[in-house]
Amino acid sequence: WQGGVEQKGEADARASVDGPFGLSVKAGDGDFTKELRAAIEQRLHAGGIATLVDNPVARPRADIVLEEAQLRWLPFYASVKARERVLLTRQGRGADARGLDSRATVEGSCWGLVSQAGWRTALIDQLADAAAKGVLPER
């Protein structure tokens, strides 16, 4: 696996959160979105964000979108190239709102026997880790 994260905005926007935190995850496919959201929630809970809500006006909030995914799976070969965007918006409105815009790329390939479910799980783990880097403070 290879990946990278580019960020624009205020890095201190990733401060710890007390209270509710809005989370929106969109990946195009319903089942994939549910699995990705569950993996991201797990990482955010482990990072100290206790209360996650699916409310479009809650602040602070993170909007996570899978912008591009080129996926290929065969029993003896699999490849993926995906791009994910994480837009973190902190407390405040208008010019007072601080935020961080992260774009993560994930690329991977496997030469050998790999199940479709195993490959999908590995991709979701990579995307969830990248999303958590855009939301959680660095430790």
Side-chain angles (χ1 to χ4, degrees), residues 4-84:
V5 177
E6 297 176 17
Q7 297 180 331
K8 292 190 311 185
E10 299 182 30
D12 65 339
R14 293 183 299 173
S16 59
V17 176
D18 294 328
F21 183 85
L23 178 64
S24 172
V25 178
K26 294 180 177 87
D29 177 74
D31 292 335
F32 192 87
T33 299
K34 287 177 189 176
E35 292 175 32
L36 180 58
R37 182 181 176 98
I40 292 169
E41 286 179 357
Q42 178 185 15
R43 283 155 179 80
L44 296 181
H45 285 305
I49 298 176
T51 308
L52 294 169
V53 296
D54 191 3
N55 181 342
V57 296
R59 289 183 188 236
R61 69 175 288 103
D63 294 293
I64 301 168
V65 178
L66 183 62
E67 293 183 322
E68 175 186 359
Q70 298 173 7
L71 310 166
R72 182 174 181 150
W73 174 83
L74 298 169
F76 293 98
Y77 173 74
S79 68
V80 66
K81 182 176 182 182
R83 186 175 66 224
E84 175 181 60

Side-chain angles (χ1 to χ4, degrees), residues 7 10-17 88 90 98 100 102 132-138:
Q7 297 180 331
E10 299 182 30
D12 65 339
R14 293 183 299 173
S16 59
V17 176
L88 177 64
R90 298 296 295 181
R98 295 180 301 149
L100 185 66
S102 303
K133 285 181 185 176
V135 175
L136 296 172
E138 291 184 15

